[in-house]
Amino acid sequence: MNKPLVAIVDDDPTVLASLVELLESAEFRTRSFHSGDALLAYGLEGVEVLISDIGMPGADGFELRDLVRQADPQLPVFLITGRHEIADQDRARGIDGFLRKPFDGHALVAAVRKALSDRES
Amino acid sequence: MDRRGGSQEPPRTKAVEAAKLVERITGNAWATDAIGNFIYLTPAALASLKASLESLNSPPDNNSSGWRRIIHPEDYDAAAEAWRRCLKTGEHYSVEHRMPRANGVYGQVRSSGQPTYDADGAIAGWYGTFIDIDAPPRTLEVELRERERQLQQLIDSVPALIWSTMADGTPTYVNKPFTEVTGATLEDITAPDRSASLGVVHPEDRAAAREAFLRSVASGTPYIQRYRQHRADGNYHWTETRAHPSRDEAGLIVEWYGVSSDIDDLIATQDALRESEQQLQQLVETLPALIYCALPDGKPIYRSKRLREYLGLNLEETDGLGKTRLEGTLDAVIHPDDLVEVKRRYAHSLATGEPYLLRHRLRRFDGVYRWVETRASAMRNGDGEIVQWNGICLDIEDQVIAREELSRAQENLTRSSQAASLAELSASIAHEVNQPLSAVMNYSSACQRWLTAGPPNIERALKALDRLVQSANSAADVVSRIRALFKQSTDKRDSAELGTVVRQARDLLAEEAGRRRITMNIEGESGLRLVPFDRVQIQQVLVNLMRNGMDAMASVSSERVLDIRAFRAGDMVRIEVKDRGRGIQFPDKIFEPFFTTKDDGMGMGLAISRSIIESHGGQLWAEKNEPLGAILVFTLPLDVAKMP
């Protein structure tokens, strides 16, 4: 069976690498990007889940989410931030899949799996 | 002849008896018979005339004898005519004529006589007397008249209005100037009842003048009165009138002599002066300041109304306390904590004449002490001697309060901005720590998964663990860097070479730069030795500036180049980080805490960077790069002693 493909966007290389390691250990395929622009340039072909940092140069997490939802409205998107002020902003409220750094890696993996199974059913 | 005439016994007639009676009263007398022959003449008179009765009775046509001896030739005919008529008719004789005196000089006499009658009613004889009615000799009279004329002239030419009245106040005289100036004659100032009409006195002043004049007349005391007096042109002039009584030998008042002086100019000047004084007084009283005056020794002699009301004290109220008025006043109104200094400075000014200026607390009438600023300076006379001290006191309580409030507000602001930057710093710290911490948690989860997989992937687990340790170390680095930032300590400082620090910063960002397609050019003089500095902090500044430069070029399509240069400028080293981005829109604000142009920035990077550079004795600022972009420049002191 094909492993689901997860796209990961973060401008901090350390965080990006750690996310890749986490998701690979949970038997996902990953494709990592240093910016939203890089992801858009590459395309969403085969991507089943998107995990993105919010604060990034160029297109930030919120813009990226809006853009990919135009192409695939059902695509599960997880946004993460280290800035608690951003998490408290109006545009972040009521959104599923919103995470504050640092978060429990197992919880992220569980949430991603649940999103995929919800989508299949 | 005298003796002969005198020794002759006169006939005992009625006329002779009557003549002798008259002689007793008047000193001389004569008697004739019925037809006019002298039968008696007072012997002294005969002696004085050097004549005898016989010679007097000689025929009248003889020029050298008879009546001609006792009557001036010019008066003779009239007298003889009158005498003949009286002898004929019996009417009384009364004629004035000149008569020679003993010294030969003629004097004026009235010669009068009347007949005596016998039992039948016929004229029996005549008797009479000479009454000396002589005026002074003509020369004396002329002299007196001349003197009187001169006196009159004097009185009329004196530039004063002179008048006189009788003892009871009835006007008797006004001089010429009086009439010329007032337009009033003696008649004009005399009422129908002969009293003084005071018609020249202004109606409003007349009653008072009359009362004063009558009082003087009644008591005999000199009269002095000021009133408006009528002028010939119809105006009234202020006049001062004085009058003194003139007394006879018995001390009884005979007349009043008065003089009126025109004092209109004086009064006008006095009025103007009074008005000017009033204005000045009003000015001083209405100035919105507390004003006082003191004698050269400091004794207060004047306080403006505002000051009196402010203190609630009158000048004299602090007297009689066994102190000088100055001391009593100062003790009463100056705040006890300021009293010593006030007294010291006041004494200094009084001793030296130097102006006085001091801020102190002053006790207000309600017992509240308020801050005032008091200034006083000496007023000197033409000789430079101090005649008075003039002082002004301004209530500056409100300014003092306002200033205190301002400084309190500034203090609060500083504290709150410190608190804010600490809060901001906490957020930054959280972010800085969160990144490696988040990696640590991801790697730990991954590590667990590799180990619990079936079969366990030991190789990947170890690799994840290795990265986990790296991330944890980097989190620890952040914490210690931040701790160093707060400590601002110098114990971490060493004498590393600047070039090394710059290269390390470049290495740290090399991967990122490559990813963002940014070229970094490093250029620097070799052997730049700085005074000991904190390499972690300086590196943090460099990384911060370089990252900012990269961010600035994130959205430009032209070539992305970041130039880092370090070179000597005097005793400092100058480090420049140039980007080719869109430039800085708010060069003045970018160093302020919280100022950011980035959505995810908190605006602390440059603020912290600047405080780090400044704590090292350098400066950090922004310049414009040409043709585009910005230059962030900072300086650090060189260790000149160790420089080649």
Side-chain angles (χ1 to χ4, degrees):
Chain A
M1 106 183 186
N2 279 340
K3 291 177 181 177
L5 178 63
V6 180
I8 306 166
V9 186
D10 198 314
D11 65 333
D12 185 321
T14 315
V15 177
L16 185 60
S18 71
L19 283 170
V20 168
E21 187 70 23
L22 173 66
L23 288 159
E24 284 183 357
S25 73
E27 298 188 329
F28 289 103
R29 285 184 296 136
T30 60
R31 185 153 287 147
S32 60
F33 302 92
H34 292 105
S35 71
D37 298 335
L39 167 67
L40 295 171
Y42 183 85
L44 292 170
E45 182 63 39
V47 173
E48 290 168 83
V49 174
L50 171 63
I51 298 173
S52 174
D53 188 20
I54 291 175
M56 295 181 294
D60 70 12
F62 292 111
E63 290 169 27
L64 193 59
R65 184 187 62 184
D66 293 344
L67 286 169
V68 300
R69 285 265 169 90
Q70 284 175 16
D72 181 357
Q74 302 302 315
L75 184 72
V77 177
F78 293 88
L79 295 180
I80 48 180
T81 180
R83 301 273 191 189
H84 293 191
E85 304 80 46
I86 292 174
D88 293 337
Q89 285 174 6
D90 288 345
R91 59 180 175 169
R93 291 206 181 112
I95 294 174
D96 288 336
F98 194 88
L99 297 133
R100 291 174 184 178
K101 291 177 189 173
F103 48 83
D104 180 0
H106 300 307
L108 175 64
V109 170
V112 170
R113 284 195 174 137
K114 181 172 184 297
L116 284 170
S117 71
D118 285 353
R119 199 182 175 191
E120 277 166 16
S121 60
Chain B
M1 288 189 297
D2 293 345
R3 281 182 210 96
R4 196 183 55 198
S7 62
Q8 218 171 13
E9 197 60 31
R12 291 183 176 266
T13 66
K14 268 177 85 176
V16 171
E17 294 305 314
K20 285 190 172 176
L21 193 64
V22 170
E23 184 186 67
R24 261 184 244 143
I25 299 167
T26 65
N28 67 71
W30 52 263
T32 66
D33 57 15
I35 57 167
N37 286 314
F38 281 103
I39 53 174
Y40 179 76
L41 185 63
T42 304
L46 273 178
S48 146
L49 289 169
K50 299 185 181 86
S52 62
L53 285 178
E54 289 76 14
S55 65
L56 290 176
N57 290 329
S58 60
D61 51 341
N62 185 337
N63 275 346
S64 60
S65 61
W67 279 33
R68 290 189 186 274
R69 302 189 60 163
I70 58 168
I71 298 175
H72 191 280
E74 287 175 14
D75 301 337
Y76 180 83
D77 289 345
E81 170 63 31
W83 182 232
R84 276 193 295 273
R85 190 175 62 249
C86 290
L87 291 177
K88 200 185 290 175
T89 62
E91 67 190 72
H92 291 192
Y93 171 73
S94 178
V95 172
E96 273 186 30
H97 59 82
R98 282 162 283 179
M99 188 175 175
R101 294 169 186 273
N103 57 6
V105 177
Y106 283 96
Q108 192 82 4
V109 298
R110 174 166 293 279
S111 178
S112 53
Q114 55 186 333
T116 57
Y117 300 92
D118 60 17
D120 303 326
I123 290 174
W126 292 80
Y127 69 95
T129 184
F130 305 107
I131 294 172
D132 199 340
I133 57 167
D134 199 8
R138 186 167 170 76
T139 50
L140 187 61
E141 190 184 340
V142 167
E143 200 177 308
L144 278 176
R145 280 200 192 132
E146 179 62 19
R147 265 196 222 156
E148 194 183 330
R149 195 185 60 79
Q150 284 176 345
L151 194 62
Q152 189 66 43
Q153 220 168 24
L154 175 72
I155 290 175
D156 282 343
S157 57
V158 164
L161 316 186
I162 295 170
W163 50 264
S164 66
T165 70
M166 300 202 308
D168 65 357
T170 302
T172 50
Y173 172 77
V174 296
N175 72 347
K176 212 166 119 198
F178 186 97
T179 300
E180 284 172 358
V181 171
T182 66
T185 62
L186 181 59
E187 288 69 43
D188 294 329
I189 64 161
T190 309
D193 65 355
R194 311 305 298 161
S195 71
S197 72
L198 297 170
V200 293
V201 181
H202 192 283
E204 289 175 13
D205 304 334
R206 197 174 293 157
R210 186 188 308 282
E211 195 189 326
F213 183 61
L214 293 179
R215 200 166 48 234
S216 287
V217 166
S219 63
T221 51
Y223 165 76
I224 175 165
Q225 188 74 8
R226 285 184 174 194
Y227 50 74
R228 284 160 288 177
Q229 193 180 51
H230 189 263
R231 288 291 172 266
D233 63 5
N235 290 323
Y236 284 90
H237 275 201
W238 277 101
T239 304
E240 184 176 275
T241 296
R242 293 166 180 266
H244 283 248
S246 163
R247 296 171 190 270
D248 63 12
E249 286 165 0
L252 292 173
I253 291 172
V254 185
E255 266 193 308
W256 285 86
Y257 295 114
V259 60
S260 299
S261 317
D262 192 315
I263 54 167
D264 210 50
D265 288 349
L266 182 70
I267 294 283
T269 309
Q270 281 179 342
D271 280 351
L273 198 64
R274 195 177 304 119
E275 196 175 325
S276 148
E277 262 179 13
Q278 273 174 352
Q279 277 185 347
L280 200 63
Q281 179 85 2
Q282 214 168 16
L283 175 76
V284 169
E285 293 285 335
T286 55
L287 272 177
L290 314 172
I291 291 168
Y292 68 90
C293 301
L295 293 178
D297 67 0
K299 182 185 183 179
I301 50 168
Y302 169 78
R303 282 183 198 136
S304 67
K305 185 160 167 277
R306 279 171 190 261
L307 183 56
R308 292 195 300 276
E309 288 172 356
Y310 191 95
L311 297 176
L313 271 182
N314 283 323
L315 282 174
E316 301 78 13
E317 278 180 51
T318 50
D319 291 354
L321 302 172
K323 311 169 183 175
T324 64
R325 182 185 289 176
L326 174 61
E327 252 189 5
T329 303
L330 294 181
D331 289 348
V333 301
I334 308 292
H335 191 283
D337 294 349
D338 302 336
L339 190 58
V340 172
E341 180 66 0
V342 167
K343 282 185 172 176
R344 192 182 69 76
R345 298 278 289 272
Y346 219 93
H348 175 76
S349 286
L350 291 179
T352 61
E354 286 173 19
Y356 171 86
L357 167 59
L358 193 64
R359 290 184 169 197
H360 58 83
R361 281 154 290 180
L362 187 68
R363 189 179 194 278
R364 204 169 57 181
F365 66 93
D366 54 4
V368 174
Y369 284 99
R370 288 174 67 85
W371 280 98
V372 295
E373 185 177 286
T374 303
R375 291 165 182 264
S377 55
M379 184 166 80
R380 295 170 189 270
N381 64 12
D383 297 333
E385 291 163 353
I386 294 173
V387 291
Q388 190 170 304
W389 284 87
N390 298 325
I392 185 167
C393 192
L394 289 170
D395 188 318
I396 55 166
E397 177 78 9
D398 294 344
Q399 286 108 295
V400 169
I401 296 273
R403 199 163 40 232
E404 278 174 3
E405 276 174 0
L406 186 65
S407 82
R408 246 200 309 278
Q410 277 170 343
E411 211 173 289
N412 286 342
L413 194 66
T414 310
R415 243 204 308 274
S416 65
S417 76
Q418 277 169 350
S421 63
L422 284 180
E424 170 59 17
L425 211 54
S426 311
S428 296
I429 292 163
H431 181 67
E432 291 268 327
V433 177
N434 271 345
Q435 295 294 96
L437 200 56
S438 160
V440 166
M441 291 189 72
N442 289 341
Y443 281 126
S444 68
S445 295
C447 188
Q448 262 187 327
R449 286 185 177 279
W450 292 128
L451 290 175
T452 56
N457 189 334
I458 303 297
E459 193 192 340
R460 292 293 299 261
L462 285 175
K463 194 182 155 199
L465 201 57
D466 190 37
R467 290 184 175 177
L468 184 152
V469 171
Q470 278 181 25
S471 295
N473 281 339
S474 108
D477 278 353
V478 170
V479 171
S480 63
R481 279 207 308 274
I482 287 163
R483 190 179 286 151
L485 192 67
F486 282 117
K487 268 171 79 183
Q488 297 235 333
S489 62
T490 53
D491 56 5
K492 284 278 183 64
R493 297 188 179 184
D494 59 27
S495 302
E497 206 230 334
L498 182 64
T500 316
V501 181
V502 175
R503 279 193 297 278
Q504 280 174 348
R506 180 197 58 192
D507 292 344
L508 276 171
L509 293 171
E511 191 271 336
E512 189 178 346
R515 178 160 41 84
R516 297 168 81 166
R517 296 192 190 87
I518 289 168
T519 312
M520 286 198 290
N521 295 324
I522 305 285
E523 186 188 333
E525 284 179 41
S526 60
L528 291 173
R529 297 204 73 89
L530 296 175
V531 295
F533 66 98
D534 186 332
R535 78 155 65 202
V536 176
Q537 289 185 355
I538 297 302
Q539 199 169 66
Q540 202 175 33
V541 171
L542 267 170
V543 167
N544 186 264
L545 298 183
M546 289 160 77
R547 255 213 185 99
N548 283 346
M550 291 183 186
D551 291 349
M553 293 186 285
S555 56
V556 299
S557 49
S558 54
E559 197 183 9
R560 300 170 181 183
V561 179
L562 194 66
D563 289 298
I564 297 101
R565 295 176 62 219
F567 54 94
R568 185 176 176 175
D571 290 342
M572 307 292 278
V573 65
R574 180 181 165 112
I575 300 109
E576 296 179 345
V577 179
K578 296 185 191 177
D579 67 60
R580 299 185 189 181
R582 291 185 174 151
I584 297 165
Q585 202 180 348
F586 307 102
D588 295 328
K589 287 192 168 179
I590 55 172
F591 296 100
E592 289 175 16
F594 313 120
F595 184 82
T596 181
T597 56
K598 305 172 190 172
D599 283 346
D600 63 334
M602 292 309 289
M604 284 307 295
L606 285 173
I608 292 172
S609 296
R610 176 173 266 185
S611 63
I612 289 172
I613 294 300
E614 285 176 354
S615 79
H616 280 79
Q619 284 180 300
L620 169 61
W621 70 93
E623 290 178 5
K624 212 165 142 62
N625 192 19
E626 293 298 337
L628 74 165
I631 313 176
L632 272 292
V633 186
F634 66 92
T635 58
L636 289 169
L638 281 168
D639 193 352
V640 183
K642 289 186 182 167
M643 295 290 288

